[in-house]
Amino acid sequence: MRRLALIPLFVVTAAAVAIAGGHAQSTQDLLTSYPGVQIYESAGQPQRLYGTVFGVGESPEISAANFVSEHADIFGLTPEELIPGRPSDGQLTQPVMYDADTQTYKFTLIYYTQHRDGLPVYESELRLLVRNEPDYPLVWAGSTLRDLSNFRVEPDQTRSPAIGLALAAALRFEPSLANFTPAELIVWAGTADELSPPRAALTFVADNEMTGSETPQRWRMVADASTGKLLHTEDLILFTDVVGTVSGQVTEGNVAEDCADEVPTPLPYIEVLMDGGDSVFADSNGQFTVPYEGTEEVSLTCYVGGLLFDVTDSALLSKAAVPPGPVDFLHNQINLQNTRAEVNAYYQANVVHMFALQQNPSYPVLEFQTNFTINVNLTGGYCPGNAWYSGSSINFCLGSGTYPNTAFGSVVHHEYGHHMVGSGGSGQGAYGEGMADSVAALIADDPVLGVGFTGDCGTGLRNADNDFQYPCNGEIHYCGQLLSGCIWSTRCELAATNPDDYMEIISSLAVNSIFLHTGTEITPQITIRHPHPR
C-alpha cells in the first residue's frame, strides 16, 4: 500500500466490509437506501461512512438528527443513547471549510455523545458532516461509538463511587499531585484507539501547579467507580525536542537566535495601560490609541502580553507622554536572551493563532479565547532543551550550555499546534505531533522544523519532506512525520497544479481536517473524506 496522503488512497468498498453479525441487517438497510455508501470498520464497528450522500433534511441539524433516528442501530445503539454535543464541552456544531470569497462555510459538522444509563461514555462520539446547500446532504460520518448492548450501570456504583480510593491511587501514581478537578461519573469502555470491557468509572484531572515542583505534572485519570483502581492515565504535558531562541526585537523567520538577525517587529494586540486610566489593546499592526481628554503629561506602561496571550513575568516598559504623542515602545531593545524569548514567544503565538482562525474563523475554543498563558525562560525539571504544551499553557526553556532558548518561531507554532489539535476535538499522540509539525511547516512554507536546534543553522530537528510509509513503528515524534510528510507531499502536488493559491488550499484542508479526527493514531481512515465539494 502506498503512503498516506490527503487524497483518498485507501478505499474500502461496502462489499468488502465485514459487517458485524448483530448489525448486519441495519447495515444492509443503509446500503439499500443509499447505494454507494462505503464503510471503514475496526474491531467490527463502523468508524467512517462516506462515498455518497446518505441523508438529507431541512437544516444541517435535521439531516444529522434524521440519520441518528433512522440508522443509529448500525452502531449497536438506540437513538436515545446519542445526545447532541461533543464530549469535551457540549459544543453542538462546527462550521468547516471557510470560503473567504463568499464569507460562508461549505460544511457543518454536528456532534453527538454516546450515553449509557445516563452517563457519558468516555471518548465515544459521532460526528456527522453536512454540506451547506439545498437539502443539506449528509456526506460523511466519523464514529468512536461502542456497542454496549449487554452492559448496564449498577445503581450502587453511581450512589457511592469510590472517589477517595481513586484520589489515593492517583497520589500513588504521582505523589507530587496537589490539585484535583471534581470527579465525573462516566462509562469506561477504553479509548478511541483501544477498546476495553465496559464499566462505571470516574474521571478527573490532577496537577502539581503552584506547588513549586521542579517538574510540572498534569494528568487525566480514569478510575474504577467501585474500587478506585486506575484504569487509564493520560499525560497532558506534551513535549517537543526542538530548541531555539527569539528576540525582543523579533528574530527573522522561524529559526534559532544564532541563525538570523533581530529586527523591530510590530506586536499585535499588545496591552497598553495609562496611569489612572483604562488599558487598551493595540491592533494587528501594533498601533494603539489611548482615550484621554486632557493635555497634561501622562505615563503609559506596557508589558509583553495582550488580548490573546499573556507572557508570565514579562518585563514592563514605562514612558511619559505629552498628548497627542506619539509614544513608541520597543521591547528587548538591549537584545538579551530573557527578553528575546518573551517577545518572540508572544509574537509567534499570535502568528499561529491567526493562522488557525484564517482557515476557520469559528475554530472551537480559539475563536473566543483570551489571555492564554505563555511561560518562558523556564529552568529545572524538563529544562534545558525542551518545550511543551500542558492543555492550559505553552512552555519554553531558558537556553543553557549547548541548548538555545526554545521560545522561537517553529517551536512556538508546534506547541500551539497541539492546542489547535486539542481544541479541535482530537487526541494527541503521534497524530498530535504530526499535525503540530504540519502547522509549523505550513506557516513557514518550509518543511524543516527547528532550524538551529543542533547548533547548526543548516539543519533542523525534523523534516516534513520525507518518504515515511504506513504503518510507522516508533515513538510519537518520529511517527508524527508520517502525517507531516503526507501533508507536505500534498502541498508539493498542489504547488504544481495550483501555483497561485496552493498554500491557501493545503492550509485550509489540513486545519479543517482536525475536526474530523478522533483518537491519537495515524491510520488509513485519515485518507477517507467526503466527495469533493461542488
Side-chain angles (χ1 to χ4, degrees), residues 471-534:
C472 177
N473 296 309
E475 61 90 33
I476 58 178
H477 298 87
Y478 175 79
C479 284
Q481 293 174 98
L482 172 60
L483 179 59
S484 65
C486 295
I487 291 175
W488 190 258
S489 293
T490 307
R491 172 259 181 217
C492 293
E493 293 292 329
L494 286 168
T497 60
N498 297 74
D500 295 331
D501 59 354
Y502 69 95
M503 283 307 301
E504 288 84 353
I505 296 172
I506 186 59
S507 296
S508 179
L509 287 170
V511 171
N512 283 276
S513 74
I514 294 172
F515 309 129
L516 309 185
H517 187 267
T518 52
T520 62
E521 297 181 353
I522 302 171
T523 71
Q525 64 181 263
I526 294 174
T527 67
I528 297 171
R529 60 175 177 81
H530 55 78
H532 192 277
R534 293 193 293 268

Side-chain angles (χ1 to χ4, degrees), residues 84-348:
R86 71 176 185 171
S88 59
D89 56 12
Q91 179 176 331
L92 298 175
T93 63
Q94 171 60 44
V96 177
M97 293 296 290
Y98 181 69
D99 187 334
D101 292 335
T102 64
Q103 297 186 355
T104 61
Y105 293 86
K106 296 179 181 179
F107 300 91
T108 299
L109 188 66
I110 296 94
Y111 300 98
Y112 285 87
T113 300
Q114 182 181 358
H115 285 64
R116 171 49 61 100
D117 295 334
L119 298 183
V121 181
Y122 188 80
E123 288 190 358
S124 183
E125 61 177 312
L126 176 66
R127 302 182 187 183
L128 301 172
L129 191 69
V130 175
R131 192 180 288 143
N132 293 328
E133 61 182 47
D135 294 330
Y136 297 97
L138 174 62
V139 295
W140 179 94
S143 166
T144 57
L145 301 173
R146 325 291 164 77
D147 184 350
L148 304 179
S149 303
N150 300 318
F151 171 76
R152 286 283 177 257
V153 177
E154 298 299 330
D156 60 327
Q157 294 176 317
T158 60
R159 283 196 297 266
S160 56
I163 296 177
L165 294 175
L167 298 183
L171 288 171
R172 288 194 296 272
F173 174 82
E174 176 50 60
S176 73
L177 298 175
N179 308 300
F180 299 84
T181 63
E184 177 189 7
L185 274 166
I186 60 166
V187 172
W188 165 256
T191 66
D193 301 316
E194 185 175 355
L195 301 181
S196 179
R199 66 187 76 187
L202 298 162
T203 184
F204 53 89
V205 173
D207 64 49
N208 63 359
E209 294 179 5
M210 309 304 292
T211 63
S213 174
E214 290 187 354
T215 303
Q217 300 282 342
R218 184 175 174 84
W219 293 87
R220 178 175 295 283
M221 299 187 171
V222 178
D224 189 290
S226 297
T227 66
K229 178 182 177 181
L230 291 183
L231 304 173
H232 175 68
T233 58
E234 180 184 357
D235 191 350
L236 299 182
I237 302 291
L238 300 170
F239 298 95
T240 182
D241 294 331
V242 295
V243 296
T245 190
V246 292
S247 71
Q249 301 179 82
V250 177
T251 301
E252 288 189 285
N254 300 285
V255 299
E257 61 180 338
D258 292 335
C259 304
D261 294 328
E262 285 73 54
V263 295
T265 304
L267 297 178
Y269 312 117
I270 204 84
E271 186 173 19
V272 179
L273 303 94
M274 182 176 69
D275 287 355
D278 297 328
S279 64
V280 298
F281 296 104
D283 64 14
S284 60
N285 296 313
Q287 299 176 344
F288 65 89
T289 300
V290 179
Y292 183 62
E293 296 180 355
T295 59
E296 297 179 356
E297 183 178 88
V298 296
S299 178
L300 300 181
T301 303
C302 72
Y303 64 103
V304 185
L307 179 63
L308 302 176
F309 298 95
D310 284 331
V311 179
T312 56
D313 300 323
S314 64
L316 290 172
L317 293 179
S318 296
K319 280 194 174 185
V322 176
V327 178
D328 296 318
F329 291 99
L330 180 61
H331 285 275
N332 187 41
Q333 186 170 4
I334 301 177
N335 199 11
L336 301 176
Q337 181 190 168
N338 288 51
T339 50
R340 250 196 324 267
E342 294 168 3
V343 175
N344 268 1
Y346 177 83
Y347 173 77
Q348 298 293 356

